[in-house]
Amino acid sequence: MKNIVAIILAAGRGTRMKSELPKVLHRVNSKPLLGFVIDALEGAGIKKKILVVGYRGKDVRKQFPGIAAVAQTKLLGSGDAVKKASALLSKFKGNILIIYGDIPFIDKDAIKKLIKEHKKNKSSCTLLAATVKKSSGYGRIFRNETSDVVKIIEEKDASFHEKAIDEINVGCYCFNKKDLFDCLDRLKINAKKGEYYLTDIVEMLTKKGKKVTSVVCEDPTVALGVNSRLDLAEVGNIMKEKVLEKLMSKGVTIVDPNSTFIDTSADIGKDTIIYPHTVIEKDVSIGKKCKIGPFARIRVHTKLDNNVEIGNFVELVRTKVLSGTKIKHLTYLGDTEVGKNVNIGAGTITANYDGKKKHKTVIGDGVFIGVGAILISPVKVGRGAVVGAGSVVTKRKNVPPHKTVVGVPAKLLGRK
Ligand code: UD1
Ligand code: CA
């Protein structure tokens, strides 16, 4: 998208989070709040972006290294944050989109619509609005008798009646550059909070007779801002529901959505059944007709082929499992490749970490691992081999194909 630059406000500490981590780096699923906002901007095709960072700004920059950043050293409010970014835009010609870094449900379509309407109406400012059930904490949108936006009233300054307004300011606006910059220079500090409110600019514009329009979100969850741990949990729950609904609509059975946690990045095939109390983390892919859980934890970079069965108290991380394999009880496999039609007995563990480094375990097609086996990596179990119950296969003592090993340490059966 041309002639538009986005200023992303991410300098605030997030005092209400009571955290040492900057608020925008708190995660929902595996993604920081700010990541959702940046993805939405990218989805809307906005190339030029300026990130305003402040509290622990280095940490924020580090996570989003590709984006130009400017520092707000004193956290003097959203108006001041925009001022800091405006210093980089003296030569820029076009519209300025301002967005807050703590609204993770904002989506590309809402942003696109906002810009489209802004251009169509030739407004000075177009703001994103939503009608919500709980408006407390948000800036309320005050309209006149003809429903035109007059001003935004912040919670702290709202009267009893104004607090009853259920239309709120989402925290995403499109401004005509000149009108915005004129107002930024004249913005006064809010005495009650000791901050420069960006939202005061709306009234400054309407008083000058400038055009302020709005786009109202159809889905009010788009407006949800995260200010506290409670908000974070609420957003997490809604996001979780959305992820599960999407998977179910694609043909995945989720027996108990309440107790199932699946990361937004997960890819799961048709007719797979996820049993209760299962956790599926980042970058996991699961094929068709698998059975997962109950009480399974599938961790990062794990890939399961079709017809795989993962049962209770099984943890898999950075592990690949081919079709027809069963890992049904009390097992940990880390950095492991498991072939086709393998049976992993209850209580099997791959010891992938030697205290310094992680190593790989490779288990061939058709292998049978007896209960309670320990495989110390790096190690390979050849195709069709058998590892006896309770055996400890020590590192680099690869098991030859179609042979049986038993004991501690494991030795070929029949040899002393
Ligand atoms: C703000 C809006 C409110 C709106 C709500 C939507 C103002 C004055 N109020 O309130 O109208 O309904 O968001 O969620 O803008 N930030 C900085 N520097 C600062 C202060 C804040 O970069 O000095 C950033 C924060 O990191 C955050 C964003 O601006 O990403 C919003 O700040 P926050 O304190 O969360 O504002 P709200 O009280 O939620
Ligand atoms: Ca906020």
mmCIF file of all heavy atoms in Angstrom, residues 318-362:
data_model
loop_
_atom_site.group_PDB
_atom_site.id
_atom_site.type_symbol
_atom_site.label_atom_id
_atom_site.label_comp_id
_atom_site.label_asym_id
_atom_site.label_seq_id
_atom_site.Cartn_x
_atom_site.Cartn_y
_atom_site.Cartn_z
ATOM 1 N N ARG A 318 10.398 -31.605 18.841
ATOM 2 C CA ARG A 318 11.278 -31.685 17.662
ATOM 3 C C ARG A 318 11.390 -33.135 17.190
ATOM 4 O O ARG A 318 12.485 -33.659 16.961
ATOM 5 C CB ARG A 318 12.663 -31.106 17.988
ATOM 6 C CG ARG A 318 12.642 -29.620 18.348
ATOM 7 C CD ARG A 318 14.016 -29.119 18.730
ATOM 8 N NE ARG A 318 14.564 -29.865 19.841
ATOM 9 C CZ ARG A 318 14.298 -29.598 21.125
ATOM 10 N NH1 ARG A 318 13.524 -28.576 21.457
ATOM 11 N NH2 ARG A 318 14.802 -30.340 22.072
ATOM 12 N N THR A 319 10.253 -33.761 17.022
ATOM 13 C CA THR A 319 10.223 -35.187 16.714
ATOM 14 C C THR A 319 9.343 -35.443 15.498
ATOM 15 O O THR A 319 8.315 -34.792 15.328
ATOM 16 C CB THR A 319 9.733 -35.938 17.975
ATOM 17 O OG1 THR A 319 10.819 -35.963 18.912
ATOM 18 C CG2 THR A 319 9.284 -37.358 17.692
ATOM 19 N N LYS A 320 9.789 -36.394 14.648
ATOM 20 C CA LYS A 320 8.995 -36.758 13.463
ATOM 21 C C LYS A 320 8.528 -38.184 13.624
ATOM 22 O O LYS A 320 9.318 -39.062 13.978
ATOM 23 C CB LYS A 320 9.871 -36.699 12.220
ATOM 24 C CG LYS A 320 9.989 -35.333 11.667
ATOM 25 C CD LYS A 320 10.561 -35.382 10.255
ATOM 26 C CE LYS A 320 10.814 -33.969 9.827
ATOM 27 N NZ LYS A 320 12.167 -33.753 9.377
ATOM 28 N N VAL A 321 7.271 -38.415 13.340
ATOM 29 C CA VAL A 321 6.731 -39.763 13.484
ATOM 30 C C VAL A 321 6.017 -40.125 12.186
ATOM 31 O O VAL A 321 5.141 -39.391 11.725
ATOM 32 C CB VAL A 321 5.741 -39.835 14.675
ATOM 33 C CG1 VAL A 321 5.216 -41.256 14.857
ATOM 34 C CG2 VAL A 321 6.394 -39.340 15.971
ATOM 35 N N LEU A 322 6.395 -41.259 11.591
ATOM 36 C CA LEU A 322 5.744 -41.656 10.331
ATOM 37 C C LEU A 322 4.482 -42.482 10.598
ATOM 38 O O LEU A 322 4.208 -42.881 11.743
ATOM 39 C CB LEU A 322 6.735 -42.429 9.451
ATOM 40 C CG LEU A 322 7.979 -41.630 9.009
ATOM 41 C CD1 LEU A 322 8.810 -42.431 8.004
ATOM 42 C CD2 LEU A 322 7.587 -40.284 8.386
ATOM 43 N N SER A 323 3.758 -42.760 9.518
ATOM 44 C CA SER A 323 2.397 -43.295 9.643
ATOM 45 C C SER A 323 2.334 -44.662 10.314
ATOM 46 O O SER A 323 3.256 -45.463 10.225
ATOM 47 C CB SER A 323 1.753 -43.367 8.262
ATOM 48 O OG SER A 323 2.527 -44.201 7.458
ATOM 49 N N GLY A 324 1.215 -44.877 10.974
ATOM 50 C CA GLY A 324 0.923 -46.177 11.573
ATOM 51 C C GLY A 324 1.647 -46.440 12.887
ATOM 52 O O GLY A 324 1.523 -47.519 13.465
ATOM 53 N N THR A 325 2.385 -45.468 13.383
ATOM 54 C CA THR A 325 3.154 -45.683 14.623
ATOM 55 C C THR A 325 2.289 -45.379 15.852
ATOM 56 O O THR A 325 1.431 -44.498 15.825
ATOM 57 C CB THR A 325 4.436 -44.810 14.574
ATOM 58 O OG1 THR A 325 5.314 -45.423 13.643
ATOM 59 C CG2 THR A 325 5.114 -44.677 15.924
ATOM 60 N N LYS A 326 2.555 -46.153 16.910
ATOM 61 C CA LYS A 326 1.786 -45.969 18.152
ATOM 62 C C LYS A 326 2.731 -45.643 19.308
ATOM 63 O O LYS A 326 3.688 -46.383 19.556
ATOM 64 C CB LYS A 326 1.018 -47.250 18.481
ATOM 65 C CG LYS A 326 -0.043 -47.588 17.462
ATOM 66 C CD LYS A 326 -0.860 -48.776 17.927
ATOM 67 C CE LYS A 326 -2.103 -48.880 17.081
ATOM 68 N NZ LYS A 326 -2.135 -50.029 16.229
ATOM 69 N N ILE A 327 2.428 -44.541 19.984
ATOM 70 C CA ILE A 327 3.197 -44.140 21.174
ATOM 71 C C ILE A 327 2.124 -43.828 22.213
ATOM 72 O O ILE A 327 1.596 -42.726 22.273
ATOM 73 C CB ILE A 327 4.064 -42.890 20.884
ATOM 74 C CG1 ILE A 327 4.878 -43.072 19.591
ATOM 75 C CG2 ILE A 327 4.961 -42.563 22.077
ATOM 76 C CD1 ILE A 327 5.625 -41.833 19.127
ATOM 77 N N LYS A 328 1.754 -44.825 22.997
ATOM 78 C CA LYS A 328 0.470 -44.672 23.678
ATOM 79 C C LYS A 328 0.525 -44.309 25.145
ATOM 80 O O LYS A 328 -0.469 -43.873 25.711
ATOM 81 C CB LYS A 328 -0.385 -45.924 23.448
ATOM 82 C CG LYS A 328 -0.645 -46.091 21.940
ATOM 83 C CD LYS A 328 -1.842 -46.892 21.586
ATOM 84 C CE LYS A 328 -3.109 -46.327 22.140
ATOM 85 N NZ LYS A 328 -4.284 -46.865 21.474
ATOM 86 N N HIS A 329 1.654 -44.542 25.817
ATOM 87 C CA HIS A 329 1.634 -44.256 27.259
ATOM 88 C C HIS A 329 2.974 -43.742 27.784
ATOM 89 O O HIS A 329 4.023 -44.303 27.470
ATOM 90 C CB HIS A 329 1.302 -45.511 28.076
ATOM 91 C CG HIS A 329 0.508 -46.537 27.350
ATOM 92 N ND1 HIS A 329 -0.857 -46.600 27.433
ATOM 93 C CD2 HIS A 329 0.886 -47.539 26.508
ATOM 94 C CE1 HIS A 329 -1.289 -47.612 26.688
ATOM 95 N NE2 HIS A 329 -0.257 -48.185 26.116
ATOM 96 N N LEU A 330 2.915 -42.717 28.617
ATOM 97 C CA LEU A 330 4.028 -42.325 29.501
ATOM 98 C C LEU A 330 5.393 -42.258 28.818
ATOM 99 O O LEU A 330 6.352 -42.887 29.271
ATOM 100 C CB LEU A 330 4.142 -43.356 30.644
ATOM 101 C CG LEU A 330 2.906 -43.554 31.505
ATOM 102 C CD1 LEU A 330 2.959 -44.890 32.200
ATOM 103 C CD2 LEU A 330 2.794 -42.444 32.529
ATOM 104 N N THR A 331 5.473 -41.499 27.740
ATOM 105 C CA THR A 331 6.725 -41.518 26.960
ATOM 106 C C THR A 331 7.236 -40.105 26.713
ATOM 107 O O THR A 331 6.442 -39.176 26.558
ATOM 108 C CB THR A 331 6.461 -42.243 25.622
ATOM 109 O OG1 THR A 331 6.278 -43.617 25.894
ATOM 110 C CG2 THR A 331 7.590 -42.063 24.630
ATOM 111 N N TYR A 332 8.573 -39.949 26.685
ATOM 112 C CA TYR A 332 9.178 -38.692 26.236
ATOM 113 C C TYR A 332 10.105 -38.979 25.067
ATOM 114 O O TYR A 332 11.041 -39.785 25.181
ATOM 115 C CB TYR A 332 9.996 -38.038 27.372
ATOM 116 C CG TYR A 332 10.855 -36.912 26.844
ATOM 117 C CD1 TYR A 332 10.280 -35.694 26.487
ATOM 118 C CD2 TYR A 332 12.226 -37.070 26.635
ATOM 119 C CE1 TYR A 332 11.047 -34.668 25.953
ATOM 120 C CE2 TYR A 332 13.002 -36.044 26.100
ATOM 121 C CZ TYR A 332 12.402 -34.851 25.764
ATOM 122 O OH TYR A 332 13.155 -33.842 25.217
ATOM 123 N N LEU A 333 9.835 -38.325 23.944
ATOM 124 C CA LEU A 333 10.756 -38.398 22.810
ATOM 125 C C LEU A 333 11.159 -36.986 22.419
ATOM 126 O O LEU A 333 10.309 -36.152 22.108
ATOM 127 C CB LEU A 333 10.097 -39.070 21.593
ATOM 128 C CG LEU A 333 9.542 -40.493 21.732
ATOM 129 C CD1 LEU A 333 9.034 -40.984 20.366
ATOM 130 C CD2 LEU A 333 10.582 -41.472 22.265
ATOM 131 N N GLY A 334 12.483 -36.735 22.468
ATOM 132 C CA GLY A 334 12.982 -35.425 22.042
ATOM 133 C C GLY A 334 13.980 -35.612 20.919
ATOM 134 O O GLY A 334 14.790 -36.538 20.962
ATOM 135 N N ASP A 335 13.925 -34.764 19.890
ATOM 136 C CA ASP A 335 14.859 -34.810 18.752
ATOM 137 C C ASP A 335 14.940 -36.220 18.152
ATOM 138 O O ASP A 335 16.027 -36.749 17.930
ATOM 139 C CB ASP A 335 16.258 -34.349 19.189
ATOM 140 C CG ASP A 335 16.209 -32.954 19.772
ATOM 141 O OD1 ASP A 335 16.009 -32.003 19.008
ATOM 142 O OD2 ASP A 335 16.297 -32.823 21.020
ATOM 143 N N THR A 336 13.795 -36.803 17.929
ATOM 144 C CA THR A 336 13.746 -38.210 17.504
ATOM 145 C C THR A 336 13.037 -38.339 16.164
ATOM 146 O O THR A 336 12.075 -37.624 15.886
ATOM 147 C CB THR A 336 13.004 -39.037 18.588
ATOM 148 O OG1 THR A 336 13.694 -38.863 19.828
ATOM 149 C CG2 THR A 336 12.944 -40.509 18.244
ATOM 150 N N GLU A 337 13.537 -39.265 15.345
ATOM 151 C CA GLU A 337 12.823 -39.616 14.109
ATOM 152 C C GLU A 337 12.313 -41.025 14.282
ATOM 153 O O GLU A 337 13.098 -41.935 14.548
ATOM 154 C CB GLU A 337 13.775 -39.590 12.920
ATOM 155 C CG GLU A 337 14.014 -38.196 12.409
ATOM 156 C CD GLU A 337 15.015 -38.189 11.264
ATOM 157 O OE1 GLU A 337 15.155 -39.209 10.559
ATOM 158 O OE2 GLU A 337 15.671 -37.142 11.123
ATOM 159 N N VAL A 338 11.028 -41.200 14.118
ATOM 160 C CA VAL A 338 10.435 -42.520 14.300
ATOM 161 C C VAL A 338 9.838 -42.938 12.962
ATOM 162 O O VAL A 338 9.086 -42.185 12.334
ATOM 163 C CB VAL A 338 9.335 -42.494 15.387
ATOM 164 C CG1 VAL A 338 8.858 -43.913 15.709
ATOM 165 C CG2 VAL A 338 9.815 -41.794 16.659
ATOM 166 N N GLY A 339 10.145 -44.156 12.539
ATOM 167 C CA GLY A 339 9.680 -44.636 11.228
ATOM 168 C C GLY A 339 8.219 -45.060 11.236
ATOM 169 O O GLY A 339 7.463 -44.723 12.144
ATOM 170 N N LYS A 340 7.871 -45.857 10.203
ATOM 171 C CA LYS A 340 6.492 -46.332 10.044
ATOM 172 C C LYS A 340 6.213 -47.528 10.944
ATOM 173 O O LYS A 340 7.117 -48.341 11.178
ATOM 174 C CB LYS A 340 6.299 -46.822 8.606
ATOM 175 C CG LYS A 340 6.156 -45.729 7.606
ATOM 176 C CD LYS A 340 5.867 -46.365 6.257
ATOM 177 C CE LYS A 340 6.162 -45.383 5.167
ATOM 178 N NZ LYS A 340 6.377 -46.036 3.884
ATOM 179 N N ASN A 341 4.978 -47.678 11.343
ATOM 180 C CA ASN A 341 4.497 -48.865 12.055
ATOM 181 C C ASN A 341 5.399 -49.287 13.220
ATOM 182 O O ASN A 341 5.695 -50.467 13.409
ATOM 183 C CB ASN A 341 4.350 -50.046 11.072
ATOM 184 C CG ASN A 341 3.386 -49.689 9.974
ATOM 185 O OD1 ASN A 341 2.337 -49.091 10.222
ATOM 186 N ND2 ASN A 341 3.750 -50.018 8.742
ATOM 187 N N VAL A 342 5.840 -48.318 13.958
ATOM 188 C CA VAL A 342 6.680 -48.590 15.126
ATOM 189 C C VAL A 342 5.769 -48.691 16.352
ATOM 190 O O VAL A 342 4.738 -48.018 16.422
ATOM 191 C CB VAL A 342 7.708 -47.445 15.320
ATOM 192 C CG1 VAL A 342 8.434 -47.549 16.654
ATOM 193 C CG2 VAL A 342 8.697 -47.420 14.161
ATOM 194 N N ASN A 343 6.158 -49.528 17.309
ATOM 195 C CA ASN A 343 5.437 -49.561 18.569
ATOM 196 C C ASN A 343 6.395 -49.137 19.683
ATOM 197 O O ASN A 343 7.411 -49.775 19.893
ATOM 198 C CB ASN A 343 4.921 -50.983 18.834
ATOM 199 C CG ASN A 343 3.829 -50.949 19.882
ATOM 200 O OD1 ASN A 343 4.037 -50.406 20.968
ATOM 201 N ND2 ASN A 343 2.671 -51.498 19.562
ATOM 202 N N ILE A 344 6.047 -48.040 20.333
ATOM 203 C CA ILE A 344 6.904 -47.542 21.414
ATOM 204 C C ILE A 344 6.214 -47.921 22.727
ATOM 205 O O ILE A 344 5.103 -47.468 23.005
ATOM 206 C CB ILE A 344 7.065 -46.005 21.318
ATOM 207 C CG1 ILE A 344 7.597 -45.575 19.938
ATOM 208 C CG2 ILE A 344 7.904 -45.463 22.472
ATOM 209 C CD1 ILE A 344 9.083 -45.601 19.750
ATOM 210 N N GLY A 345 6.877 -48.741 23.535
ATOM 211 C CA GLY A 345 6.264 -49.240 24.765
ATOM 212 C C GLY A 345 6.113 -48.162 25.834
ATOM 213 O O GLY A 345 6.785 -47.124 25.783
ATOM 214 N N ALA A 346 5.250 -48.446 26.798
ATOM 215 C CA ALA A 346 4.979 -47.501 27.889
ATOM 216 C C ALA A 346 6.286 -47.133 28.594
ATOM 217 O O ALA A 346 7.136 -47.990 28.836
ATOM 218 C CB ALA A 346 4.018 -48.141 28.890
ATOM 219 N N GLY A 347 6.437 -45.884 28.901
ATOM 220 C CA GLY A 347 7.581 -45.443 29.700
ATOM 221 C C GLY A 347 8.887 -45.311 28.945
ATOM 222 O O GLY A 347 9.941 -45.163 29.559
ATOM 223 N N THR A 348 8.850 -45.326 27.607
ATOM 224 C CA THR A 348 10.097 -45.174 26.826
ATOM 225 C C THR A 348 10.583 -43.729 26.887
ATOM 226 O O THR A 348 9.786 -42.789 26.814
ATOM 227 C CB THR A 348 9.853 -45.565 25.354
ATOM 228 O OG1 THR A 348 9.505 -46.943 25.325
ATOM 229 C CG2 THR A 348 11.082 -45.307 24.489
ATOM 230 N N ILE A 349 11.905 -43.593 27.011
ATOM 231 C CA ILE A 349 12.471 -42.237 27.036
ATOM 232 C C ILE A 349 13.673 -42.160 26.109
ATOM 233 O O ILE A 349 14.531 -43.045 26.125
ATOM 234 C CB ILE A 349 12.886 -41.854 28.482
ATOM 235 C CG1 ILE A 349 11.614 -41.567 29.291
ATOM 236 C CG2 ILE A 349 13.816 -40.637 28.500
ATOM 237 C CD1 ILE A 349 11.853 -41.279 30.731
ATOM 238 N N THR A 350 13.726 -41.092 25.305
ATOM 239 C CA THR A 350 14.973 -40.817 24.594
ATOM 240 C C THR A 350 15.711 -39.771 25.421
ATOM 241 O O THR A 350 15.183 -38.689 25.683
ATOM 242 C CB THR A 350 14.745 -40.285 23.161
ATOM 243 O OG1 THR A 350 13.930 -39.126 23.209
ATOM 244 C CG2 THR A 350 14.095 -41.324 22.270
ATOM 245 N N ALA A 351 16.934 -40.107 25.831
ATOM 246 C CA ALA A 351 17.736 -39.167 26.622
ATOM 247 C C ALA A 351 18.514 -38.328 25.613
ATOM 248 O O ALA A 351 19.589 -38.713 25.170
ATOM 249 C CB ALA A 351 18.657 -39.944 27.554
ATOM 250 N N ASN A 352 17.929 -37.195 25.219
ATOM 251 C CA ASN A 352 18.484 -36.426 24.090
ATOM 252 C C ASN A 352 19.479 -35.355 24.531
ATOM 253 O O ASN A 352 20.116 -34.727 23.713
ATOM 254 C CB ASN A 352 17.360 -35.778 23.272
ATOM 255 C CG ASN A 352 16.482 -34.862 24.094
ATOM 256 O OD1 ASN A 352 16.297 -35.086 25.285
ATOM 257 N ND2 ASN A 352 15.943 -33.840 23.477
ATOM 258 N N TYR A 353 19.618 -35.136 25.829
ATOM 259 C CA TYR A 353 20.447 -34.037 26.319
ATOM 260 C C TYR A 353 21.544 -34.590 27.211
ATOM 261 O O TYR A 353 21.271 -35.299 28.187
ATOM 262 C CB TYR A 353 19.550 -33.070 27.104
ATOM 263 C CG TYR A 353 20.256 -31.818 27.572
ATOM 264 C CD1 TYR A 353 20.977 -31.036 26.696
ATOM 265 C CD2 TYR A 353 20.167 -31.418 28.904
ATOM 266 C CE1 TYR A 353 21.616 -29.877 27.129
ATOM 267 C CE2 TYR A 353 20.789 -30.262 29.349
ATOM 268 C CZ TYR A 353 21.521 -29.496 28.456
ATOM 269 O OH TYR A 353 22.148 -28.351 28.877
ATOM 270 N N ASP A 354 22.798 -34.288 26.863
ATOM 271 C CA ASP A 354 23.913 -34.840 27.654
ATOM 272 C C ASP A 354 24.444 -33.833 28.667
ATOM 273 O O ASP A 354 25.533 -33.994 29.212
ATOM 274 C CB ASP A 354 25.034 -35.330 26.722
ATOM 275 C CG ASP A 354 25.644 -34.194 25.904
ATOM 276 O OD1 ASP A 354 25.318 -33.013 26.173
ATOM 277 O OD2 ASP A 354 26.431 -34.477 24.986
ATOM 278 N N GLY A 355 23.688 -32.793 28.904
ATOM 279 C CA GLY A 355 24.126 -31.767 29.849
ATOM 280 C C GLY A 355 24.704 -30.565 29.138
ATOM 281 O O GLY A 355 24.759 -29.470 29.688
ATOM 282 N N LYS A 356 25.133 -30.780 27.876
ATOM 283 C CA LYS A 356 25.686 -29.669 27.095
ATOM 284 C C LYS A 356 24.945 -29.493 25.778
ATOM 285 O O LYS A 356 24.603 -28.395 25.382
ATOM 286 C CB LYS A 356 27.171 -29.925 26.803
ATOM 287 C CG LYS A 356 28.057 -29.811 28.026
ATOM 288 C CD LYS A 356 29.517 -29.716 27.614
ATOM 289 C CE LYS A 356 30.423 -29.773 28.828
ATOM 290 N NZ LYS A 356 31.015 -31.110 29.018
ATOM 291 N N LYS A 357 24.723 -30.621 25.112
ATOM 292 C CA LYS A 357 24.142 -30.566 23.765
ATOM 293 C C LYS A 357 22.982 -31.527 23.633
ATOM 294 O O LYS A 357 22.890 -32.506 24.370
ATOM 295 C CB LYS A 357 25.212 -30.976 22.738
ATOM 296 C CG LYS A 357 26.068 -29.814 22.271
ATOM 297 C CD LYS A 357 27.117 -30.293 21.293
ATOM 298 C CE LYS A 357 26.596 -30.218 19.860
ATOM 299 N NZ LYS A 357 27.653 -30.615 18.895
ATOM 300 N N LYS A 358 22.149 -31.244 22.627
ATOM 301 C CA LYS A 358 21.060 -32.183 22.334
ATOM 302 C C LYS A 358 21.465 -33.038 21.141
ATOM 303 O O LYS A 358 22.126 -32.556 20.226
ATOM 304 C CB LYS A 358 19.791 -31.404 22.041
ATOM 305 C CG LYS A 358 19.359 -30.612 23.268
ATOM 306 C CD LYS A 358 17.889 -30.333 23.288
ATOM 307 C CE LYS A 358 17.488 -29.843 24.648
ATOM 308 N NZ LYS A 358 17.192 -28.415 24.680
ATOM 309 N N HIS A 359 21.099 -34.297 21.183
ATOM 310 C CA HIS A 359 21.459 -35.232 20.110
ATOM 311 C C HIS A 359 20.227 -35.954 19.610
ATOM 312 O O HIS A 359 19.193 -35.988 20.271
ATOM 313 C CB HIS A 359 22.467 -36.263 20.637
ATOM 314 C CG HIS A 359 23.702 -35.652 21.192
ATOM 315 N ND1 HIS A 359 24.750 -35.251 20.416
ATOM 316 C CD2 HIS A 359 24.043 -35.339 22.475
ATOM 317 C CE1 HIS A 359 25.704 -34.730 21.173
ATOM 318 N NE2 HIS A 359 25.296 -34.777 22.434
ATOM 319 N N LYS A 360 20.415 -36.604 18.436
ATOM 320 C CA LYS A 360 19.275 -37.245 17.770
ATOM 321 C C LYS A 360 19.153 -38.733 18.041
ATOM 322 O O LYS A 360 20.162 -39.416 18.225
ATOM 323 C CB LYS A 360 19.439 -37.072 16.263
ATOM 324 C CG LYS A 360 18.991 -35.721 15.787
ATOM 325 C CD LYS A 360 18.721 -35.747 14.317
ATOM 326 C CE LYS A 360 17.594 -34.799 14.005
ATOM 327 N NZ LYS A 360 17.113 -34.960 12.654
ATOM 328 N N THR A 361 17.937 -39.200 18.000
ATOM 329 C CA THR A 361 17.686 -40.639 18.035
ATOM 330 C C THR A 361 16.917 -40.977 16.771
ATOM 331 O O THR A 361 16.009 -40.234 16.384
ATOM 332 C CB THR A 361 16.823 -41.001 19.268
ATOM 333 O OG1 THR A 361 17.512 -40.564 20.441
ATOM 334 C CG2 THR A 361 16.555 -42.494 19.362
ATOM 335 N N VAL A 362 17.296 -42.070 16.118
ATOM 336 C CA VAL A 362 16.574 -42.482 14.907
ATOM 337 C C VAL A 362 16.053 -43.895 15.115
ATOM 338 O O VAL A 362 16.816 -44.802 15.471
ATOM 339 C CB VAL A 362 17.503 -42.425 13.669
ATOM 340 C CG1 VAL A 362 16.752 -42.875 12.417
ATOM 341 C CG2 VAL A 362 18.061 -41.013 13.488
#
